[in-house]
Amino acid sequence: MARDSGYDGAVNEAAGRIRATVPENLVEKFAGRSGIKKENFIPCNITRCGEICAVDGSNVILLESGSMALALLRAAQTTFIEMERSRRSVTPLEFALIGPEDNNLDFPVLYTNCFGQPPGTTLSNEDRSKAAGVLRDTLEFWVTETMARELPEGALLLRDGPLRVSHASHDSVLGRILAACKGNGIGIAGISKRTAATWGGGHPLLPSVYALARSLSIGAPYWMKVDTGILDHAQFPQWQHGDMYIACLHPRAKSPLKIELPTGLSSDRAGEIMDRLASCSRDGRLPGYPYPLFDAHRTVVISEETAEKAKSDLIAGLARAGIDRQTYEILFGNYHDEFARY
């Protein structure tokens, strides 16, 4: 079969543009720009894990039409004591309609059920994916605030994601969570597998730190605090509650992680938390990732089987409400499902 020169050219161009973000001299450029030296990388010491609670959330779009979508969401927490699970809980599955109105009508109901008062800011339905994420975050923050009140002194609370909000209504909630953790002597950390942080006009931060550590013969596990002044931009700075760190928590870690700790935390306290994170990240299935968060993800994820069961129940509910099959197909039928059959 003849090669398509246009396609080959497009592949090469795309690969070249990605390669330009991580050039051969990435380490030299990053070292010069950041000023990071070997002493900036702090080794982690394996220690007792203590009590660690992890919170995660999940959402899927069950049905979607031109004017509306229906999301399914929930959140969960799993708590471990010395890496033995002591308790686990999952919120009931919630259905949320996104559209056809400009603002989401389920958001103030869910928010009030969680926090006892309506949100101060409406939620737009314009971006369905973002709206579903904010609804899921509402459940996550509710579970996180509950655990911040219930965990004993000395526990560590992990959030899947940054110590930052993406909707104004959650800012006061996160503030209360951080205050509760501080008042109750609980550590808190936001763990992110990916980050949009870049420096020098588009060079990604995680591979830059990782490559620099290797060039300096820094062995994992280690952590370092990031001077955000070297970054290209800051996301939602008005809703930022944490300082940024990069940590590689195991010698066989697939990737370093971006970790956020409460703003202004002392280096000694940050080190204590990083030591515990490294100590709970030694599971052979996913070395370098805190196992309690892995367990929380497995607990909360809405599987295809769960989504299909909810969808089937919903279709039955629509039938009872008087929506016949033809109307359902007009509203939510997907031609791509038919295309795939041929």
Side-chain angles (χ1 to χ4, degrees):
M1 182 180 295
R3 299 284 297 184
D4 184 335
S5 60
Y7 174 78
D8 290 344
V11 168
N12 292 335
E13 180 184 359
R17 292 175 64 185
I18 294 172
R19 175 56 171 162
T21 68
V22 283
E24 291 185 8
N25 64 341
L26 178 69
V27 170
E28 292 79 6
K29 291 182 66 174
F30 183 58
R33 173 66 179 270
S34 67
I36 296 172
K37 302 289 193 285
K38 190 169 186 175
E39 54 267 27
N40 296 118
F41 291 89
I42 312 299
C44 295
N45 299 306
I46 301 304
T47 184
R48 293 173 60 90
C49 296
E51 186 162 354
I52 301 178
C53 174
V55 178
D56 198 3
S58 182
N59 66 275
V60 297
I61 299 294
L62 279 185
L63 299 175
E64 191 165 16
S65 74
S67 61
M68 72 186 87
L70 189 78
L72 187 66
L73 48 134
R74 67 182 178 186
Q77 68 82 21
T78 58
T79 301
F80 288 75
I81 298 177
E82 300 301 346
M83 295 310 295
E84 292 289 335
R85 189 193 301 121
S86 61
R87 57 175 167 162
R88 174 169 61 181
S89 58
V90 188
T91 67
L93 287 166
E94 297 276 354
F95 292 88
L97 192 63
I98 303 175
E101 300 84 6
D102 290 339
N103 293 320
N104 192 276
L105 300 184
D106 286 330
F107 178 56
V109 176
L110 179 64
Y111 192 99
T112 301
N113 288 342
C114 288
F115 305 117
Q117 61 185 37
T121 308
T122 59
L123 174 62
S124 171
N125 282 326
E126 182 177 3
D127 185 329
R128 293 174 181 178
S129 177
K130 181 178 179 180
V134 171
L135 290 160
R136 179 205 64 227
D137 286 349
T138 302
L139 285 178
E140 278 192 53
F141 281 124
W142 173 63
V143 173
T144 305
E145 185 172 21
T146 300
M147 299 313 298
R149 293 195 302 263
E150 295 182 357
L151 289 170
E153 183 178 0
L156 179 58
L157 180 56
L158 307 183
R159 162 174 161 75
D160 183 30
L163 298 184
R164 185 186 69 233
V165 303
S166 56
H167 192 269
S169 64
H170 293 148
D171 192 55
S172 60
V173 179
L174 182 53
R176 291 199 306 267
I177 291 169
L178 294 173
C181 286
K182 184 176 181 180
N184 296 334
I186 298 169
I188 184 170
I191 313 292
S192 300
K193 297 175 285 295
R194 296 180 178 180
T195 175
T198 59
W199 61 275
H203 301 303
L205 181 63
L206 287 182
S208 301
V209 172
Y210 183 74
L212 179 57
R214 290 187 62 184
S215 74
L216 295 172
S217 300
I218 305 294
Y222 61 77
W223 62 275
M224 60 157 294
K225 188 174 183 180
V226 177
D227 177 3
T228 55
I230 69 172
L231 303 181
D232 290 330
H233 58 84
Q235 290 186 320
F236 307 109
Q238 71 275 30
W239 298 331
Q240 182 72 48
H241 292 265
D243 290 333
M244 183 187 298
Y245 301 76
I246 302 296
C248 189
L249 297 175
H250 192 278
R252 292 189 289 112
K254 182 178 180 180
S255 169
L257 302 171
K258 187 193 79 169
I259 298 176
E260 293 189 8
L261 303 179
T263 302
L265 209 63
S266 71
S267 180
D268 287 346
R269 180 60 174 146
E272 292 173 7
I273 292 174
M274 295 297 182
D275 289 347
R276 292 174 68 181
L277 289 176
S279 300
C280 72
S281 300
R282 297 187 293 163
D283 185 85
R285 288 165 290 183
L286 205 63
Y289 189 76
Y291 183 79
L293 267 180
F294 175 43
D295 188 70
H297 170 78
R298 293 195 303 168
T299 299
V300 78
V301 66
I302 299 174
S303 65
E304 183 176 350
E305 180 182 2
T306 299
E308 285 301 316
K309 173 64 165 58
K311 185 175 180 179
S312 177
D313 292 341
L314 182 63
I315 291 173
L318 290 172
R320 291 193 298 270
I323 300 292
D324 60 40
R325 187 70 189 188
Q326 186 66 46
T327 302
Y328 170 83
E329 289 295 338
I330 294 171
L331 280 173
F332 301 112
N334 187 346
Y335 272 107
H336 290 91
D337 292 339
E338 297 300 316
F339 295 163
R341 296 172 56 190
Y342 299 100

